[in-house]
Amino acid sequence: APASRMSSANFPLDPEGHTYHVGVKMGRVANRILTVGDPERAHRIAKSLDSKDFVFTSKRGFTTITGAYKGVPVSIVAIGMGTPMADMMVREIRATVEGPIQLIRFGSCGGIGTRSQVGLIAVAKDGAASVTRNNDFFAPMYAGNAPDESLSPYVISEACPADKEISEALVDALRKRIGDDSVITGMNATADSFYSSQGRLDPGFNDYNQDLIEAIRKRHPNCETLEMESFTLLHLARCASFVSKENSIRAAACAMIFADRKANDFIAPETVERLENDAGLAVLDALVACPF
Ligand code: URA
């Protein structure tokens, strides 16, 4: 049981039982969690909570705010960026929350699909795949040789599904708060870099990624967005749920489209603030919508 987890090299805890990176102990985090990247976004959304009972920023850059929304206990956790941060958050929160968890991500992303435009919100209703740099493709370069063309420079995974009921609640709540035309659904691809594995061309590096966005779209035609966290959340939710019902995590993800990779357009700061305010309420609505 998570409550009896002991500190060890395998799962370090401080003497009071706080986890190593997120810095939370049993009872600090609610079983409904909204996770974002930007800590300022977490604080902005937290203004809509009925109360704030616990606020903590860890030395490793995680901010946790626990309170209630419409009378229901919720936590908002800002994790910064990337799959390692997402991994630490899910595991440390799983270890310090008793019973089933519901998790929603409200992040930002780039749009690569036909329906993506800057300022829209994309719900990863069809799940997320991972896109990782295949390091062995590059390995011959260490000795000054051409890369191993028998390998692909990037690995595009199968899609991991999102929780259906929570994803539907998320779409409904977003449509109510920001309007039908501002919400799209599809798949997400989660990359291990903002640059190379999202198909950004960088003259300073040999990345072999000119065809990557096209390859992602070919493998997953419903893939609308690229970011750096959603797959990890959905994937770990499935792995936790496979342990036991009591240990289960149900997860869904949405993201504001900051970059239009086809039109080469980037969002204005005032649009972000408006979206965070309006869509922030919608994600809280969705977080308390589904019974356990
Ligand atoms: N976040 C990402 O990971 N990629 C983008 O293009 C925009 C936001």
Side-chain angles (χ1 to χ4, degrees):
S4 64
R5 204 189 270 273
M6 298 292 286
S7 182
S8 65
N10 189 64
F11 198 89
L13 296 169
D14 78 3
E16 286 82 49
H18 297 99
T19 64
Y20 196 63
H21 308 92
V22 185
V24 290
K25 62 178 184 179
M26 289 301 297
R28 290 298 198 215
V29 178
N31 57 5
R32 294 174 192 269
I33 300 145
L34 174 63
T35 182
V36 302
D38 181 355
E40 279 182 32
R41 185 179 317 143
H43 285 292
R44 179 171 287 144
I45 297 169
K47 287 186 187 145
S48 302
L49 300 183
D50 315 337
S51 60
K52 277 183 266 184
D53 308 315
F54 174 75
V55 182
F56 178 68
T57 295
S58 78
K59 284 189 302 210
R60 293 299 193 175
F62 293 86
T63 295
T64 302
I65 305 168
T66 297
Y69 180 69
K70 296 181 178 170
V72 179
V74 298
S75 290
I76 303 173
V77 183
I79 66 171
M81 286 163 287
T83 57
M85 296 293 275
D87 184 82
M88 288 183 259
M89 183 275 288
V90 175
R91 291 175 189 276
E92 294 181 23
I93 274 165
R94 180 59 286 175
T96 54
V97 173
E98 270 178 285
I101 285 174
Q102 290 187 25
L103 179 65
I104 296 178
R105 164 165 161 81
F106 175 39
S108 63
C109 66
I112 57 167
T114 49
R115 285 165 297 138
S116 292
Q117 278 172 37
V118 165
L120 302 185
I121 303 225
V123 179
K125 208 168 167 240
D126 303 334
S130 65
V131 179
T132 48
R133 194 161 160 111
N134 187 1
N135 296 316
D136 287 344
F137 168 91
F138 299 86
M141 290 159 59
Y142 311 159
N145 300 316
D148 183 350
E149 299 282 355
S150 72
L151 302 173
S152 289
Y154 296 87
V155 179
I156 303 166
S157 79
E158 289 293 319
C160 174
D163 184 89
K164 193 167 182 288
E165 194 190 356
I166 300 176
S167 298
E168 279 166 8
L170 195 49
V171 172
D172 286 349
L174 283 164
R175 287 193 171 140
K176 279 200 190 98
R177 293 273 186 189
I178 64 173
D180 287 357
D181 295 345
S182 298
V183 184
I184 64 165
T185 66
M187 230 189 85
N188 163 263
T190 295
D192 61 358
S193 166
F194 181 86
Y195 296 103
S196 67
S197 42
Q198 291 188 27
R200 288 188 164 89
L201 305 177
D202 183 341
F205 297 85
N206 265 328
D207 287 322
Y208 296 87
N209 64 348
Q210 322 74 274
D211 306 323
L212 181 58
I213 292 178
E214 207 185 308
I216 296 167
R217 288 280 300 167
K218 197 168 168 205
R219 172 81 188 269
H220 297 295
N222 55 341
C223 183
E224 286 290 335
T225 60
L226 287 176
E227 42 84 285
M228 299 186 281
E229 299 82 11
S230 293
F231 171 83
T232 300
L233 303 178
L234 303 183
H235 169 86
L236 288 177
R238 294 287 162 157
C239 296
S241 302
F242 199 70
V243 171
S244 69
K245 208 170 169 190
E246 184 59 9
N247 195 64
S248 71
I249 303 177
R250 292 167 60 192
C254 67
M256 301 170 276
I257 301 177
F258 276 14
D260 182 338
R261 300 297 307 285
K262 300 149 296 161
N264 208 15
D265 191 13
F266 206 84
I267 201 161
E270 30 322 338
T271 315
V272 179
E273 192 172 329
R274 179 182 54 76
L275 271 177
E276 284 180 347
N277 286 326
D278 300 347
L281 282 170
V283 290
L284 286 172
D285 292 340
L287 192 62
V288 301
C290 300
F292 274 100

